[in-house]
Amino acid sequence: MGQHDEPVTRIRKGRPCPGYSLTENGTRVSDEQIKEWFVELTEGEENEYGYKLLAECLRKDHRLILNNKKAYRLCRELGILQKYRERRTKHPRRLPRNRLVTGPNQLWQMDIKYGYVAGRDRFFSCSVSLMYSTALL
């Protein structure tokens, strides 16, 4: 057998998890209890919440000192993590549709930005020009 035939085991790095969290008055709450609270929250109206909002609910309702990283780890262990949102760009890159660019220096685009200088009571402008070539398209 070669060295690549052995099963890969993931080794966790860093400090081991203590298995509990504290409340504001100093009492210990086990991770299992926190998981139960997470399951209860996801069965109720908070079923669409992500791990950050679930952690915020536990902080508010049970006065629990809970880090977002720990909330993420516990939700991942329970399998109740929400899917990541797709990021939408605010300004998608738009090229003119009525132009056919076959080489460099055929399509130029200009962008003008305006600003205000507060100490001088003046406005300023700067322009940025972009050149499109076939490599970019």
Side-chain angles (χ1 to χ4, degrees):
M1 289 186 93
Q3 66 183 16
H4 297 291
D5 296 338
E6 300 171 6
V8 178
T9 58
R10 185 174 175 177
I11 300 171
R12 292 193 62 210
K13 294 181 181 180
R15 187 171 63 96
C17 301
Y20 64 90
S21 290
L22 298 175
T23 59
E24 289 179 356
N25 61 6
T27 58
R28 288 185 179 187
V29 178
S30 70
D31 285 352
E32 298 304 319
Q33 178 63 46
I34 297 171
K35 286 181 183 181
E36 287 179 24
W37 287 337
F38 276 143
V39 170
E40 289 174 10
L41 285 173
T42 55
E43 289 173 353
E45 293 179 0
E46 292 84 4
N47 61 349
E48 295 296 322
Y49 284 6
Y51 69 96
K52 289 181 182 180
L53 286 175
L54 288 173
E56 185 64 34
C57 288
L58 290 186
R59 284 187 212 110
K60 187 175 62 176
D61 295 342
H62 299 284
R63 297 290 189 211
L64 192 64
I65 300 172
L66 185 63
N67 191 342
N68 280 344
K69 292 183 280 187
K70 184 169 189 168
Y72 177 83
R73 179 177 55 82
L74 294 176
C75 287
R76 186 184 66 216
E77 289 174 7
L78 288 172
I80 58 173
L81 283 177
Q82 298 288 325
K83 293 181 182 178
Y84 284 108
R85 278 191 307 193
E86 283 188 23
R87 291 190 178 211
R88 288 185 273 163
T89 57
K90 292 183 181 178
H91 303 286
R93 182 177 154 192
R94 294 187 193 122
L95 291 176
R97 294 183 183 159
N98 59 351
R99 303 278 188 261
L100 179 63
V101 180
T102 58
N105 275 338
Q106 289 184 354
L107 177 65
W108 285 73
Q109 184 176 357
M110 178 80 61
D111 190 17
I112 300 173
K113 298 291 182 184
Y114 295 99
Y116 177 72
V117 182
R120 301 264 179 138
D121 239 5
R122 299 180 69 172
F123 289 93
F124 71 92
S125 66
C126 71
S127 62
V128 179
S129 48
L130 302 169
M131 179 187 68
Y132 294 103
S133 67
T134 56
L136 295 174
L137 298 176

